[in-house]
Amino acid sequence: MKPFLKNVTSVMASAVMALCSFNVSFSAVADEVTPDKCIVHYDLSGEGITIPDDKDGNPQSIEDIETDPNSSVYITNVVPEREGYIFSCWSADDIVAYPGGTVLTVDTKNVDLHPVWIDEEDENFHKVIFRVEKNSEIDKESEKYVPAQNALKGRYILIPSWKFKQEGYDQKGWTDGVHEFEVNTYILVGDEDIILRPNLKKIYKIKYSAGDFEGIIGATFQEYELAESFPTSLQSADRFSRIGYEIKSWHCITDGKDYEPNAVFVMPSSDVLIEPNWSPLRYVVVFSADKNNVKVPGYTGTAITAPECPITKEGFTFGGWQNGDDIVQAGEEYTIKGAAPGLGIRFTAIWNEAGSDVTTTTVTDPVTTTTTTVTETTTTTVTETTTTSAPSETTTTTSAPVSGINYGDSNCDGSVELADAILLMQSIANPDKYGVEGSEPKHLTREGANNGDVDKEIEGITSGDALMIQEFLLKKITTLVPAEK
């Protein structure tokens, strides 16, 4: 069976050549102290080197370039001259070539480039062979796509973009056994033949785990494949979702280091396990008494003190603050548990009739405090595990169907739960996966959208629908069935 081959068209190759370069000598470890500037120096000190005038007779010069560390510069297009020789390109190490107009990547060190010359009397050609082997035998069929090239000493050869697949490996350019060359860069021809082989890198797994924590919503585990030494961008901060927390950074269990979300990570020669560093969210907890709100800030997992009620009510005594099954008295501490993404934390004043032990709840206008957004990034994965956690105060109940609509039951499982509010928020945050035509198996259906559209102030699914479902579950409203107009 022929190996899988990947080619880049000449147009794409030209674009890549204009933007990419490969530096063997200067891509190592950065200095302890990064300099403010780096110098790209053109060494013209060789014997007999001159700079000719341009085609209009104007003098030309080749100037050194001052640039920022970890940046790129264009190689000069001015061609020096030397009697008896033909100018070929520039090089820093006589291995990698930089023709005029290409890009040189500078890390944190100065770069000295010297001109490479071709002797006008040299007639000895040398061969650059792109060797492809299969089961220790030359794969002549594959080598037809990367034929050998003949060149004089000082000429340069473009590294081809063909890739030859081998199970368990990915190809990263070509290698002579000592140096590694990226595709669409240039290698200098010396005074001997050169044999290059596919630079095969073994494939390993990079695994993401949300960790063993309560309150994880959606995906809890993902796994990807990546070849050693290949760079990748780590997942963004919304890769996993947890009630009351956000991802501040990633911790690599394998190397013990912390990385910023979306940071570049170079795959080592081993499997990798990465977990989030969870950081508690800041909430503004609202204590509401007949539209008189007292706001107390705090973080998930920390205690706040319940405030005094800001009003009195004739014929009643203040009975405390209630959020679901939680009731706290003024002056008591309440540990913030967090809320589902897009929802806030609100306590409502409860009142006792004078001389009675019966407690009644005053229902006031809903308040929403946005904390975080559930977003699922679509990528090719090997494994994805999901779970849904609900706050302990939530009770499973149903909302009576009207005209075939079971209001609040967005996931169409016959009951109204926190999962229904979460599904609505997911469909808003990531419609490609969780919307009505989403790719996720448990996406919102059209029937579910009809059930979930409980906030009739705005037609269609909004965060207001998710909020009303949570208010219903917390018994702050008694029904999700819209009032007849």
PDB file of all heavy atoms in Angstrom, residues 313-343:
ATOM      1  N   LYS A 313     -41.562  45.637  58.069  1.00  0.00           N
ATOM      2  CA  LYS A 313     -42.841  45.383  57.412  1.00  0.00           C
ATOM      3  C   LYS A 313     -43.923  45.305  58.469  1.00  0.00           C
ATOM      4  O   LYS A 313     -43.849  44.460  59.371  1.00  0.00           O
ATOM      5  CB  LYS A 313     -42.760  44.092  56.587  1.00  0.00           C
ATOM      6  CG  LYS A 313     -43.913  43.872  55.650  1.00  0.00           C
ATOM      7  CD  LYS A 313     -43.618  42.677  54.758  1.00  0.00           C
ATOM      8  CE  LYS A 313     -44.737  42.466  53.767  1.00  0.00           C
ATOM      9  NZ  LYS A 313     -44.481  41.304  52.897  1.00  0.00           N
ATOM     10  N   GLU A 314     -44.881  46.174  58.362  1.00  0.00           N
ATOM     11  CA  GLU A 314     -45.928  46.259  59.379  1.00  0.00           C
ATOM     12  C   GLU A 314     -46.697  44.942  59.474  1.00  0.00           C
ATOM     13  O   GLU A 314     -47.109  44.363  58.464  1.00  0.00           O
ATOM     14  CB  GLU A 314     -46.900  47.401  59.037  1.00  0.00           C
ATOM     15  CG  GLU A 314     -47.932  47.651  60.115  1.00  0.00           C
ATOM     16  CD  GLU A 314     -48.823  48.838  59.801  1.00  0.00           C
ATOM     17  OE1 GLU A 314     -48.562  49.545  58.793  1.00  0.00           O
ATOM     18  OE2 GLU A 314     -49.772  49.060  60.556  1.00  0.00           O
ATOM     19  N   GLY A 315     -46.836  44.455  60.694  1.00  0.00           N
ATOM     20  CA  GLY A 315     -47.551  43.211  60.936  1.00  0.00           C
ATOM     21  C   GLY A 315     -46.692  41.973  60.783  1.00  0.00           C
ATOM     22  O   GLY A 315     -47.193  40.852  60.923  1.00  0.00           O
ATOM     23  N   PHE A 316     -45.395  42.153  60.486  1.00  0.00           N
ATOM     24  CA  PHE A 316     -44.507  41.010  60.289  1.00  0.00           C
ATOM     25  C   PHE A 316     -43.193  41.267  61.016  1.00  0.00           C
ATOM     26  O   PHE A 316     -42.801  42.409  61.255  1.00  0.00           O
ATOM     27  CB  PHE A 316     -44.217  40.790  58.797  1.00  0.00           C
ATOM     28  CG  PHE A 316     -45.393  40.348  57.995  1.00  0.00           C
ATOM     29  CD1 PHE A 316     -46.277  41.285  57.466  1.00  0.00           C
ATOM     30  CD2 PHE A 316     -45.627  39.010  57.759  1.00  0.00           C
ATOM     31  CE1 PHE A 316     -47.361  40.888  56.710  1.00  0.00           C
ATOM     32  CE2 PHE A 316     -46.710  38.602  57.006  1.00  0.00           C
ATOM     33  CZ  PHE A 316     -47.590  39.532  56.486  1.00  0.00           C
ATOM     34  N   THR A 317     -42.534  40.173  61.326  1.00  0.00           N
ATOM     35  CA  THR A 317     -41.169  40.252  61.843  1.00  0.00           C
ATOM     36  C   THR A 317     -40.235  39.576  60.851  1.00  0.00           C
ATOM     37  O   THR A 317     -40.602  38.592  60.210  1.00  0.00           O
ATOM     38  CB  THR A 317     -41.041  39.561  63.215  1.00  0.00           C
ATOM     39  OG1 THR A 317     -41.431  38.183  63.085  1.00  0.00           O
ATOM     40  CG2 THR A 317     -41.921  40.266  64.239  1.00  0.00           C
ATOM     41  N   PHE A 318     -39.033  40.126  60.723  1.00  0.00           N
ATOM     42  CA  PHE A 318     -38.058  39.579  59.775  1.00  0.00           C
ATOM     43  C   PHE A 318     -37.622  38.187  60.230  1.00  0.00           C
ATOM     44  O   PHE A 318     -37.188  37.996  61.363  1.00  0.00           O
ATOM     45  CB  PHE A 318     -36.862  40.527  59.675  1.00  0.00           C
ATOM     46  CG  PHE A 318     -35.752  40.031  58.793  1.00  0.00           C
ATOM     47  CD1 PHE A 318     -35.945  39.873  57.432  1.00  0.00           C
ATOM     48  CD2 PHE A 318     -34.506  39.725  59.330  1.00  0.00           C
ATOM     49  CE1 PHE A 318     -34.918  39.435  56.611  1.00  0.00           C
ATOM     50  CE2 PHE A 318     -33.475  39.281  58.520  1.00  0.00           C
ATOM     51  CZ  PHE A 318     -33.681  39.141  57.149  1.00  0.00           C
ATOM     52  N   GLY A 319     -37.704  37.207  59.294  1.00  0.00           N
ATOM     53  CA  GLY A 319     -37.383  35.827  59.647  1.00  0.00           C
ATOM     54  C   GLY A 319     -36.062  35.322  59.102  1.00  0.00           C
ATOM     55  O   GLY A 319     -35.706  34.160  59.305  1.00  0.00           O
ATOM     56  N   GLY A 320     -35.320  36.159  58.379  1.00  0.00           N
ATOM     57  CA  GLY A 320     -34.029  35.737  57.851  1.00  0.00           C
ATOM     58  C   GLY A 320     -33.969  35.883  56.338  1.00  0.00           C
ATOM     59  O   GLY A 320     -34.873  36.428  55.691  1.00  0.00           O
ATOM     60  N   TRP A 321     -32.872  35.378  55.768  1.00  0.00           N
ATOM     61  CA  TRP A 321     -32.649  35.426  54.319  1.00  0.00           C
ATOM     62  C   TRP A 321     -32.677  34.004  53.771  1.00  0.00           C
ATOM     63  O   TRP A 321     -32.065  33.104  54.328  1.00  0.00           O
ATOM     64  CB  TRP A 321     -31.302  36.055  53.998  1.00  0.00           C
ATOM     65  CG  TRP A 321     -31.124  37.459  54.501  1.00  0.00           C
ATOM     66  CD1 TRP A 321     -30.419  37.855  55.593  1.00  0.00           C
ATOM     67  CD2 TRP A 321     -31.662  38.642  53.912  1.00  0.00           C
ATOM     68  NE1 TRP A 321     -30.473  39.215  55.749  1.00  0.00           N
ATOM     69  CE2 TRP A 321     -31.235  39.742  54.717  1.00  0.00           C
ATOM     70  CE3 TRP A 321     -32.475  38.918  52.806  1.00  0.00           C
ATOM     71  CZ2 TRP A 321     -31.577  41.051  54.436  1.00  0.00           C
ATOM     72  CZ3 TRP A 321     -32.801  40.232  52.522  1.00  0.00           C
ATOM     73  CH2 TRP A 321     -32.371  41.276  53.329  1.00  0.00           C
ATOM     74  N   GLN A 322     -33.358  33.806  52.630  1.00  0.00           N
ATOM     75  CA  GLN A 322     -33.522  32.457  52.079  1.00  0.00           C
ATOM     76  C   GLN A 322     -33.036  32.392  50.644  1.00  0.00           C
ATOM     77  O   GLN A 322     -33.345  33.254  49.821  1.00  0.00           O
ATOM     78  CB  GLN A 322     -34.986  32.021  52.124  1.00  0.00           C
ATOM     79  CG  GLN A 322     -35.203  30.591  51.618  1.00  0.00           C
ATOM     80  CD  GLN A 322     -36.639  30.129  51.785  1.00  0.00           C
ATOM     81  OE1 GLN A 322     -37.564  30.936  51.847  1.00  0.00           O
ATOM     82  NE2 GLN A 322     -36.825  28.825  51.871  1.00  0.00           N
ATOM     83  N   ASN A 323     -32.261  31.326  50.369  1.00  0.00           N
ATOM     84  CA  ASN A 323     -31.850  30.974  49.015  1.00  0.00           C
ATOM     85  C   ASN A 323     -32.026  29.471  48.881  1.00  0.00           C
ATOM     86  O   ASN A 323     -31.232  28.690  49.408  1.00  0.00           O
ATOM     87  CB  ASN A 323     -30.398  31.377  48.757  1.00  0.00           C
ATOM     88  CG  ASN A 323     -29.912  30.977  47.372  1.00  0.00           C
ATOM     89  OD1 ASN A 323     -29.807  29.796  47.047  1.00  0.00           O
ATOM     90  ND2 ASN A 323     -29.591  31.961  46.554  1.00  0.00           N
ATOM     91  N   GLY A 324     -33.102  29.034  48.218  1.00  0.00           N
ATOM     92  CA  GLY A 324     -33.392  27.607  48.150  1.00  0.00           C
ATOM     93  C   GLY A 324     -33.658  27.050  49.536  1.00  0.00           C
ATOM     94  O   GLY A 324     -34.520  27.543  50.270  1.00  0.00           O
ATOM     95  N   ASP A 325     -32.908  26.029  49.922  1.00  0.00           N
ATOM     96  CA  ASP A 325     -33.056  25.429  51.248  1.00  0.00           C
ATOM     97  C   ASP A 325     -32.209  26.122  52.301  1.00  0.00           C
ATOM     98  O   ASP A 325     -32.273  25.769  53.480  1.00  0.00           O
ATOM     99  CB  ASP A 325     -32.679  23.934  51.194  1.00  0.00           C
ATOM    100  CG  ASP A 325     -33.655  23.122  50.354  1.00  0.00           C
ATOM    101  OD1 ASP A 325     -34.818  23.557  50.245  1.00  0.00           O
ATOM    102  OD2 ASP A 325     -33.246  22.082  49.798  1.00  0.00           O
ATOM    103  N   ASP A 326     -31.390  27.079  51.879  1.00  0.00           N
ATOM    104  CA  ASP A 326     -30.520  27.782  52.821  1.00  0.00           C
ATOM    105  C   ASP A 326     -31.249  28.986  53.416  1.00  0.00           C
ATOM    106  O   ASP A 326     -31.779  29.835  52.673  1.00  0.00           O
ATOM    107  CB  ASP A 326     -29.240  28.265  52.129  1.00  0.00           C
ATOM    108  CG  ASP A 326     -28.340  27.116  51.729  1.00  0.00           C
ATOM    109  OD1 ASP A 326     -28.347  26.088  52.435  1.00  0.00           O
ATOM    110  OD2 ASP A 326     -27.642  27.246  50.706  1.00  0.00           O
ATOM    111  N   ILE A 327     -31.284  29.072  54.743  1.00  0.00           N
ATOM    112  CA  ILE A 327     -31.823  30.228  55.443  1.00  0.00           C
ATOM    113  C   ILE A 327     -30.774  30.692  56.444  1.00  0.00           C
ATOM    114  O   ILE A 327     -30.277  29.910  57.255  1.00  0.00           O
ATOM    115  CB  ILE A 327     -33.140  29.896  56.176  1.00  0.00           C
ATOM    116  CG1 ILE A 327     -34.221  29.466  55.175  1.00  0.00           C
ATOM    117  CG2 ILE A 327     -33.619  31.099  56.992  1.00  0.00           C
ATOM    118  CD1 ILE A 327     -35.523  29.061  55.832  1.00  0.00           C
ATOM    119  N   VAL A 328     -30.404  31.959  56.350  1.00  0.00           N
ATOM    120  CA  VAL A 328     -29.414  32.519  57.274  1.00  0.00           C
ATOM    121  C   VAL A 328     -30.015  33.749  57.937  1.00  0.00           C
ATOM    122  O   VAL A 328     -30.818  34.479  57.332  1.00  0.00           O
ATOM    123  CB  VAL A 328     -28.100  32.884  56.556  1.00  0.00           C
ATOM    124  CG1 VAL A 328     -27.399  31.650  56.032  1.00  0.00           C
ATOM    125  CG2 VAL A 328     -28.339  33.874  55.411  1.00  0.00           C
ATOM    126  N   GLN A 329     -29.629  33.963  59.164  1.00  0.00           N
ATOM    127  CA  GLN A 329     -30.087  35.128  59.900  1.00  0.00           C
ATOM    128  C   GLN A 329     -29.083  36.266  59.753  1.00  0.00           C
ATOM    129  O   GLN A 329     -27.897  36.032  59.448  1.00  0.00           O
ATOM    130  CB  GLN A 329     -30.278  34.779  61.385  1.00  0.00           C
ATOM    131  CG  GLN A 329     -31.287  33.661  61.639  1.00  0.00           C
ATOM    132  CD  GLN A 329     -32.674  33.998  61.130  1.00  0.00           C
ATOM    133  OE1 GLN A 329     -33.143  35.138  61.272  1.00  0.00           O
ATOM    134  NE2 GLN A 329     -33.351  33.008  60.543  1.00  0.00           N
ATOM    135  N   ALA A 330     -29.558  37.475  59.944  1.00  0.00           N
ATOM    136  CA  ALA A 330     -28.666  38.628  59.894  1.00  0.00           C
ATOM    137  C   ALA A 330     -27.533  38.451  60.907  1.00  0.00           C
ATOM    138  O   ALA A 330     -27.767  38.060  62.050  1.00  0.00           O
ATOM    139  CB  ALA A 330     -29.447  39.900  60.196  1.00  0.00           C
ATOM    140  N   GLY A 331     -26.315  38.694  60.448  1.00  0.00           N
ATOM    141  CA  GLY A 331     -25.146  38.537  61.301  1.00  0.00           C
ATOM    142  C   GLY A 331     -24.508  37.165  61.218  1.00  0.00           C
ATOM    143  O   GLY A 331     -23.390  36.975  61.694  1.00  0.00           O
ATOM    144  N   GLU A 332     -25.211  36.185  60.644  1.00  0.00           N
ATOM    145  CA  GLU A 332     -24.645  34.845  60.503  1.00  0.00           C
ATOM    146  C   GLU A 332     -23.759  34.774  59.254  1.00  0.00           C
ATOM    147  O   GLU A 332     -23.906  35.552  58.307  1.00  0.00           O
ATOM    148  CB  GLU A 332     -25.750  33.794  60.399  1.00  0.00           C
ATOM    149  CG  GLU A 332     -26.516  33.559  61.683  1.00  0.00           C
ATOM    150  CD  GLU A 332     -27.539  32.449  61.550  1.00  0.00           C
ATOM    151  OE1 GLU A 332     -27.797  31.995  60.404  1.00  0.00           O
ATOM    152  OE2 GLU A 332     -28.072  32.028  62.586  1.00  0.00           O
ATOM    153  N   GLU A 333     -22.851  33.800  59.256  1.00  0.00           N
ATOM    154  CA  GLU A 333     -21.973  33.615  58.107  1.00  0.00           C
ATOM    155  C   GLU A 333     -22.605  32.658  57.098  1.00  0.00           C
ATOM    156  O   GLU A 333     -23.279  31.686  57.471  1.00  0.00           O
ATOM    157  CB  GLU A 333     -20.610  33.074  58.543  1.00  0.00           C
ATOM    158  CG  GLU A 333     -19.745  34.102  59.245  1.00  0.00           C
ATOM    159  CD  GLU A 333     -18.325  33.605  59.435  1.00  0.00           C
ATOM    160  OE1 GLU A 333     -18.097  32.385  59.322  1.00  0.00           O
ATOM    161  OE2 GLU A 333     -17.426  34.445  59.689  1.00  0.00           O
ATOM    162  N   TYR A 334     -22.370  32.939  55.837  1.00  0.00           N
ATOM    163  CA  TYR A 334     -22.816  32.073  54.750  1.00  0.00           C
ATOM    164  C   TYR A 334     -21.620  31.815  53.842  1.00  0.00           C
ATOM    165  O   TYR A 334     -20.940  32.747  53.391  1.00  0.00           O
ATOM    166  CB  TYR A 334     -23.942  32.725  53.945  1.00  0.00           C
ATOM    167  CG  TYR A 334     -24.223  32.033  52.630  1.00  0.00           C
ATOM    168  CD1 TYR A 334     -24.862  30.793  52.595  1.00  0.00           C
ATOM    169  CD2 TYR A 334     -23.810  32.607  51.422  1.00  0.00           C
ATOM    170  CE1 TYR A 334     -25.110  30.145  51.384  1.00  0.00           C
ATOM    171  CE2 TYR A 334     -24.051  31.964  50.204  1.00  0.00           C
ATOM    172  CZ  TYR A 334     -24.694  30.739  50.198  1.00  0.00           C
ATOM    173  OH  TYR A 334     -24.931  30.087  49.013  1.00  0.00           O
ATOM    174  N   THR A 335     -21.324  30.549  53.587  1.00  0.00           N
ATOM    175  CA  THR A 335     -20.215  30.183  52.699  1.00  0.00           C
ATOM    176  C   THR A 335     -20.731  30.096  51.269  1.00  0.00           C
ATOM    177  O   THR A 335     -21.644  29.331  50.969  1.00  0.00           O
ATOM    178  CB  THR A 335     -19.594  28.838  53.108  1.00  0.00           C
ATOM    179  OG1 THR A 335     -19.091  28.943  54.444  1.00  0.00           O
ATOM    180  CG2 THR A 335     -18.446  28.470  52.178  1.00  0.00           C
ATOM    181  N   ILE A 336     -20.152  30.878  50.391  1.00  0.00           N
ATOM    182  CA  ILE A 336     -20.605  30.960  49.007  1.00  0.00           C
ATOM    183  C   ILE A 336     -20.340  29.636  48.292  1.00  0.00           C
ATOM    184  O   ILE A 336     -19.208  29.140  48.281  1.00  0.00           O
ATOM    185  CB  ILE A 336     -19.895  32.115  48.280  1.00  0.00           C
ATOM    186  CG1 ILE A 336     -20.244  33.436  48.951  1.00  0.00           C
ATOM    187  CG2 ILE A 336     -20.273  32.140  46.804  1.00  0.00           C
ATOM    188  CD1 ILE A 336     -19.501  34.623  48.372  1.00  0.00           C
ATOM    189  N   LYS A 337     -21.392  29.083  47.686  1.00  0.00           N
ATOM    190  CA  LYS A 337     -21.282  27.802  46.987  1.00  0.00           C
ATOM    191  C   LYS A 337     -21.070  27.969  45.485  1.00  0.00           C
ATOM    192  O   LYS A 337     -20.760  27.007  44.798  1.00  0.00           O
ATOM    193  CB  LYS A 337     -22.554  26.980  47.222  1.00  0.00           C
ATOM    194  CG  LYS A 337     -22.846  26.671  48.690  1.00  0.00           C
ATOM    195  CD  LYS A 337     -24.165  25.947  48.826  1.00  0.00           C
ATOM    196  CE  LYS A 337     -24.487  25.662  50.298  1.00  0.00           C
ATOM    197  NZ  LYS A 337     -25.799  24.993  50.468  1.00  0.00           N
ATOM    198  N   GLY A 338     -21.293  29.167  44.993  1.00  0.00           N
ATOM    199  CA  GLY A 338     -21.207  29.362  43.554  1.00  0.00           C
ATOM    200  C   GLY A 338     -22.557  29.131  42.899  1.00  0.00           C
ATOM    201  O   GLY A 338     -23.521  28.706  43.537  1.00  0.00           O
ATOM    202  N   ALA A 339     -22.641  29.413  41.604  1.00  0.00           N
ATOM    203  CA  ALA A 339     -23.881  29.258  40.859  1.00  0.00           C
ATOM    204  C   ALA A 339     -23.551  28.752  39.471  1.00  0.00           C
ATOM    205  O   ALA A 339     -22.406  28.821  39.009  1.00  0.00           O
ATOM    206  CB  ALA A 339     -24.621  30.592  40.785  1.00  0.00           C
ATOM    207  N   ALA A 340     -24.566  28.202  38.816  1.00  0.00           N
ATOM    208  CA  ALA A 340     -24.377  27.727  37.451  1.00  0.00           C
ATOM    209  C   ALA A 340     -23.929  28.883  36.561  1.00  0.00           C
ATOM    210  O   ALA A 340     -24.251  30.040  36.828  1.00  0.00           O
ATOM    211  CB  ALA A 340     -25.671  27.121  36.925  1.00  0.00           C
ATOM    212  N   PRO A 341     -23.166  28.593  35.495  1.00  0.00           N
ATOM    213  CA  PRO A 341     -22.669  29.659  34.613  1.00  0.00           C
ATOM    214  C   PRO A 341     -23.802  30.567  34.141  1.00  0.00           C
ATOM    215  O   PRO A 341     -24.854  30.117  33.711  1.00  0.00           O
ATOM    216  CB  PRO A 341     -22.053  28.884  33.444  1.00  0.00           C
ATOM    217  CG  PRO A 341     -21.646  27.591  34.045  1.00  0.00           C
ATOM    218  CD  PRO A 341     -22.693  27.269  35.060  1.00  0.00           C
ATOM    219  N   GLY A 342     -23.575  31.878  34.228  1.00  0.00           N
ATOM    220  CA  GLY A 342     -24.550  32.853  33.798  1.00  0.00           C
ATOM    221  C   GLY A 342     -25.570  33.230  34.845  1.00  0.00           C
ATOM    222  O   GLY A 342     -26.377  34.131  34.633  1.00  0.00           O
ATOM    223  N   LEU A 343     -25.566  32.551  35.991  1.00  0.00           N
ATOM    224  CA  LEU A 343     -26.546  32.821  37.036  1.00  0.00           C
ATOM    225  C   LEU A 343     -25.856  33.385  38.270  1.00  0.00           C
ATOM    226  O   LEU A 343     -24.686  33.099  38.531  1.00  0.00           O
ATOM    227  CB  LEU A 343     -27.307  31.548  37.390  1.00  0.00           C
ATOM    228  CG  LEU A 343     -28.044  30.871  36.223  1.00  0.00           C
ATOM    229  CD1 LEU A 343     -28.705  29.590  36.691  1.00  0.00           C
ATOM    230  CD2 LEU A 343     -29.072  31.816  35.610  1.00  0.00           C
TER     231      LEU A 343
END
